[in-house]
């Protein structure tokens, strides 16, 4: 396939990674190669951990030459950083349609958790990678959770402004919900899928719906 | 002080560690030495991480001879394993009086979270150590969270049996609450203490109280 230029907005892994790594592909073919390297990196880091993972292990899994790796990433550290941002974006994009289609704010959180559990069951390596970023790249770890919590806070605030939730929902609730999702994902996504994802999400959402309801007084 | 035998129930770091490591001190003096080694290990692993931490770094911080270390622990892995169990027990013992003194089940969860945030602010290293156990000693990591969630589930079930909470509280709620506590501890304990611990705990508990209330139907 002939290489062709793709719009600037689509070439970067995402805004943060592009700013951090600065090696955005200039062609659609390049974008696919970069994507294949990131998918291979998720397997390599997920199975072997950062220290035992190698660039040659990544290129072997991706079926690309070592030179292609260095076209897009400077180092093992750089591809790991890009991968954390990439996985963070993947989760966001995976759950977004369910949240948008929901009938209200709490139903959106239910759909978001159900989508997240589904994603985790198919991508168990995400836990090891995000968790290991606390040690390998603390800035990425912090950015991942700060960004996720802020997204939840904005959704809660919007729902409160629509009159669906108590007016004082805020950052503490957002962090509580994120933590709930992360640990339900660990228990019912990574460790064991002994309950349907929809049941887990419905139970958590029922607690939130009553817990964050508009105050009667 | 003359060495004296202490009751068997108090010599072990705790049941799990004793079973796992099998070097329980036989005297009160030995117990204090083992405690000093564990406190030093918390500093060493917390500051340097498992891979860069060393046994000599631990004994230097503890002010004990290398031989004393090997009286109680076989290896760096062994002291790390014992430390995870020890910190897990420390948290449990730190929050237990507040939970026992609470006026009902949800007030107990509030007191438990407030106590946990206070503990975390004084022992920020606990996050790095527990989180790193996922990679260094996955069994300890899993046991820590499985045990903590089961403790919460038992408290919720007891409160439901007293008629304070909806009858169907269970494991999903327990994991949700644990995740909430872990991430509120990360945000308001480790990262920043910009809100009073009591306020964070009260906000979370208000959500739980309404969220887990007995159903009106």
């Amino acid at each position: 396939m002939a290489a062709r230029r793709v719009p600037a907005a689509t070439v970067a892994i995402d805004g943060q990674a592009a700013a951090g790594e600065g090696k955005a592909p200039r062609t659609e073919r390049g974008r696919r190669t970069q994507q294949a390297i990131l998918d291979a990196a998720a397997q390599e880091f997920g199975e072997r951990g950062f220290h035992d993972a190698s660039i040659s292990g990544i290129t072997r899994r991706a079926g690309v030459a070592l030179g292609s790796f260095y076209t897009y990433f400077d180092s093992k550290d750089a591809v790991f950083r890009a991968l954390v941002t990439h996985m963070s974006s993947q989760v966001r994009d995976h759950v977004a349609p369910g949240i948008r289609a929901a009938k209200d704010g709490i139903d959106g959180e239910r759909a978001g958790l159900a989508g997240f559990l589904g994603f985790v069951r198919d991508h168990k390596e995400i836990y090891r990678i995000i968790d290991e970023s606390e040690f390998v790249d603390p800035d990425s770890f912090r950015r991942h959770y700060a960004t996720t919590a802020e997204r939840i806070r904005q959704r809660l605030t919007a729902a409160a402004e629509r009159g669906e939730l108590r007016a004082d929902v805020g950052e503490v609730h957002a962090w509580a919900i994120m933590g709930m999702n992360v640990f339900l994902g660990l228990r019912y996504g990574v460790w064991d899928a002994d309950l349907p994802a929809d049941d887990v999400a419905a139970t958590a959402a029922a607690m939130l719906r009553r817990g964050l309801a508009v105050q009667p007084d």
Side-chain angles (χ1 to χ4, degrees), chain A residues 39-61 76 80 83 124-126 128-129 132 136:
Chain A
D39 289 344
Q43 290 173 34
E44 176 80 1
F45 288 123
E47 284 175 23
R48 309 192 65 195
F50 181 81
H51 291 288
D52 291 337
S54 67
I55 292 175
S56 62
I58 294 171
T59 55
R60 196 164 45 240
R61 288 172 194 262
K76 188 169 87 166
F80 185 85
L83 179 61
K124 291 193 169 70
E125 71 280 4
I126 191 174
R128 178 166 190 164
I129 291 164
E132 195 164 20
V136 173

Side-chain angles (χ1 to χ4, degrees), chain A residues 159-183:
Chain A
E161 286 168 357
R162 293 192 302 268
E164 297 166 15
L165 303 181
R166 51 189 296 166
D168 63 353
V169 288
E171 194 189 34
V172 172
H173 299 109
W175 277 83
I177 291 171
M178 178 169 69
M180 193 180 86
N181 292 350
V182 170
F183 274 77

Side-chain angles (χ1 to χ4, degrees), chain A residues 26-174:
Chain A
R26 297 173 58 193
T27 64
E28 172 59 23
R29 180 176 178 169
R31 198 197 59 76
R32 286 202 309 276
T33 301
Q34 191 186 43
Q35 180 65 51
I37 293 169
L38 284 169
D39 289 344
Q43 290 173 34
E44 176 80 1
F45 288 123
E47 284 175 23
R48 309 192 65 195
F50 181 81
H51 291 288
D52 291 337
S54 67
I55 292 175
S56 62
I58 294 171
T59 55
R60 196 164 45 240
R61 288 172 194 262
V64 304
L66 206 58
S68 294
F69 178 91
Y70 286 106
T71 303
Y72 300 109
F73 303 102
D74 282 330
S75 61
K76 188 169 87 166
D77 284 84
V79 72
F80 185 85
R81 269 197 303 280
L83 179 61
V84 172
T85 306
H86 176 62
M87 298 203 93
S88 194
S89 306
Q90 269 190 303
V91 171
R92 181 196 62 204
D93 295 346
H94 181 81
V95 303
I99 293 173
R100 273 197 302 273
K103 64 183 200 296
D104 64 19
I106 292 298
D107 190 50
E109 296 310 312
R110 180 202 55 72
L113 174 54
F116 177 63
L117 290 171
F119 184 89
V120 168
R121 287 178 180 182
D122 290 339
H123 300 83
K124 291 193 169 70
E125 71 280 4
I126 191 174
Y127 270 72
R128 178 166 190 164
I129 291 164
I130 301 285
D131 291 353
E132 195 164 20
S133 74
E134 179 177 358
F135 306 100
V136 173
D137 181 26
D139 287 346
S140 292
F141 175 79
R142 194 169 172 129
R143 186 168 57 228
H144 169 68
Y145 285 121
T147 305
T148 303
E150 174 56 17
R151 214 149 46 219
I152 297 173
R153 192 198 63 73
Q154 289 174 5
R155 293 201 299 263
L156 294 178
T157 300
E161 286 168 357
R162 293 192 302 268
E164 297 166 15
L165 303 181
R166 51 189 296 166
D168 63 353
V169 288
E171 194 189 34
V172 172
H173 299 109

Side-chain angles (χ1 to χ4, degrees), chain A residues 196-210:
Chain A
D198 285 342
D199 291 1
V200 174
T203 298
M207 181 173 82
L208 294 179
R209 182 172 295 281
R210 293 164 58 92

